[in-house]
Amino acid sequence: MLVDIKNILLPLNGTGDLDAVMSVAQNLAQRFTAHLSAVVVGSDPSEIAALAGGGISAGMVTEMIENATSEAERNAIIIGHNFQRFVADNDITLIDPTSMGLTSANGRTASFEVLDGIDYDAMAWRSRLADMTLVPTLTSTSDPRASATLHSILFDSGRPLVIAPPTAPEHVGRRISIAWNGTAEASLALRCILPWAHDAEAIEVVTSPDYQRRGPEAEDVVRYLRLHGITATSRSCEPVKKDIGAGLLKAAEDFGADMLALGAYSHSPRFRQILLGGVTRHVLENMKLTVLMSR
């Protein structure tokens, strides 16, 4: 039996505008009757203290730590208030994290925690007991650690990472594009997208001769999905200006997809790593729809 989505980790550092990620969170909480485990990580004084070796006086370091701590506390308070308003507006019961698993009247619950900065690695650890992690898209104004958080979870959790688009989407998972290149990473993404795929209106498996590696072909994926009672079609796309990532996003746009699933950072010889690694980077930097990544 396919494991359902019941615990969604929601790291909320790295953005001042939570509308898009909260919209996706609401969609997922309602669809899967899932618990939202929202977490904010505070400042880590050790990161600033390390500057003391760069010719900065101890007094200046102390002042920088105090300012960073105050700013982190203010940020956590603001995010906390916004999250409380979100759960109230969406009829989600806010509970203590230790009570996770206890049911509410409608089955939907949420919790909110502020972690000390020195526990930053705990974010990746917690993601290992989440059925998925949902993060905001990376922007030029994101917390500098937002990219580190995203990649830490992607590489170290063993669970799917879902990235919200820049603006709040109307739908999530109604029309799904699955990027396929035959790799183990793509296989994991295919497995992880199944909870959405069962309810999708249309699914398209997208590949490209320049993207495909040794392994099952797109038509094999279509037959695999058929075994799960899921109807899908396939298509081959061309790179856009020699960029495969741009080609995959263009194919998803042409299909009218509101969600894209792909394996990230596939292992390959160096001359191909530049190519395939570039696919992940391009999608992260240019996505306009909800993206599920796994590795």
Side-chain angles (χ1 to χ4, degrees), residues 114-132:
V114 179
L115 301 180
D116 191 281
I118 60 177
D119 293 326
Y120 189 67
D121 286 340
M123 188 74 79
W125 301 342
R126 287 172 183 238
S127 65
R128 295 171 189 169
L129 292 179
D131 296 309
M132 56 157 282

Side-chain angles (χ1 to χ4, degrees), residues 6 10 13 23 34 46 48 57-58 61-62 75 84-85 96 98 103-104 106 113 118 171 180 188 229 237 254 280 283:
K6 289 301 177 185
L10 193 59
N13 287 78
S23 174
S46 65
I48 300 173
S57 69
V61 171
T62 299
N75 184 54
Q84 289 177 18
R85 184 168 63 249
D96 185 272
T98 60
T103 59
S104 64
N106 60 11
E113 291 182 84
I118 60 177
H171 304 291
W180 181 257
L188 181 57
C237 73
D254 291 344
T280 305
V283 171

